[in-house]
Amino acid sequence: MPILTCENLTKHYGTVAALQDVNLNVEPGRIVGLLGPNGSGKSTMIKLANGLLTPNSGRILIDGMEPGLETKKLVSYLPERTYLANWMSVKQILNYFEDFYVDFDRQRAETMLSHLGIPETQRIKQMSKGNREKVQLILVMSRRAKLYLLDEPIGGVDPAARDYILNTIIGSYDPGAAVIISTHLIADVEPLLDEVIFINGGHILRHTPVDTIREEMGKSVDALFREEFKCF
């Protein structure tokens, strides 16, 4: 069974269609890049999957269920903006996640924080934007979820830390889960991706295995994206 299914999924903001008749399946065990220009519908789709928005028509299913209390147990979501309270220390946040999520692996989180040199005594308000993003991503990926939804997970992270974050934090997820990454840093995440979804104007333009793009089209995902979304 697909972990994520969209059936004629449509979402409007007033008269503007953010998503229009989207049909899509994402299978377990896949890392999928959700790629498109600003305003293409990426964040709307991720918020719908997390139950933060409701469709105007059609439906979205998580492991065969409509978003709700049960699906929140299956989905680990990283929003585009920082949501951690500034006054909290890393240790307090770890305590909170451990209490709130039964699938939270504290040891995994502590190991990754140590490797990135982020002390548990440090408060969020003392951190750079990049370190706050690292902490949020570690928290999200330390849950044993079935679907990880990552909205711009490494936008503010320094290049020196990206390889570790991509390969260790994102690349070592549970094999029965799926990861959907929305990002503009396509060349950085491309080595991890199994599939890509190109979206624009609320329509799915392409849902293709990465190997097909490389072998049949002779291009990288980054090159194909630049070609298809070139500004004139």
Side-chain angles (χ1 to χ4, degrees), residues 120-231:
E120 293 186 27
T121 54
Q122 191 171 27
R123 297 187 184 276
I124 297 301
K125 65 183 178 183
Q126 299 170 320
M127 293 182 183
S128 66
K129 179 177 184 292
N131 276 353
R132 288 196 298 269
E133 288 189 7
K134 292 173 191 176
V135 170
Q136 287 196 155
L137 183 56
I138 286 170
L139 293 168
V140 166
M141 297 306 297
S142 292
R143 286 185 56 198
R144 300 298 182 183
K146 294 189 73 171
L147 176 62
Y148 299 90
L149 302 171
L150 311 179
D151 199 351
E152 291 293 344
I154 56 171
V157 174
D158 54 284
R162 280 182 192 161
D163 286 346
Y164 175 81
I165 287 172
L166 292 169
N167 295 320
T168 304
I169 299 179
I170 297 177
S172 58
Y173 72 107
D174 290 350
V179 181
I180 297 177
I181 306 174
S182 170
T183 184
H184 291 104
L185 298 173
I186 299 170
D188 288 297
V189 303
E190 183 171 342
L192 288 178
L193 300 179
D194 299 304
E195 305 170 9
V196 292
I197 298 166
F198 282 7
I199 183 171
N200 197 20
H203 295 274
I204 301 296
L205 306 183
R206 179 188 299 277
H207 184 189
T208 313
V210 169
D211 287 345
T212 299
I213 294 172
R214 294 179 184 140
E215 293 168 10
E216 297 183 8
M217 305 181 72
K219 298 176 181 177
S220 68
V221 172
D222 188 49
L224 182 62
F225 181 90
R226 292 172 186 272
E227 180 181 299
E228 294 202 0
F229 294 103
K230 183 173 13 176
C231 295

Side-chain angles (χ1 to χ4, degrees), residues 2-9 19 21-27 32-34 45 59-61 180 195-199 204-208:
I3 187 61
L4 174 69
T5 300
C6 300
E7 298 176 349
N8 301 116
L9 182 65
L19 294 174
D21 294 322
V22 169
N23 290 285
L24 182 68
N25 287 312
V26 173
E27 300 290 337
V32 181
L34 181 61
M45 183 180 293
R59 62 179 186 163
I60 187 166
L61 303 174
I180 297 177
E195 305 170 9
V196 292
I197 298 166
F198 282 7
I199 183 171
I204 301 296
L205 306 183
R206 179 188 299 277
H207 184 189
T208 313

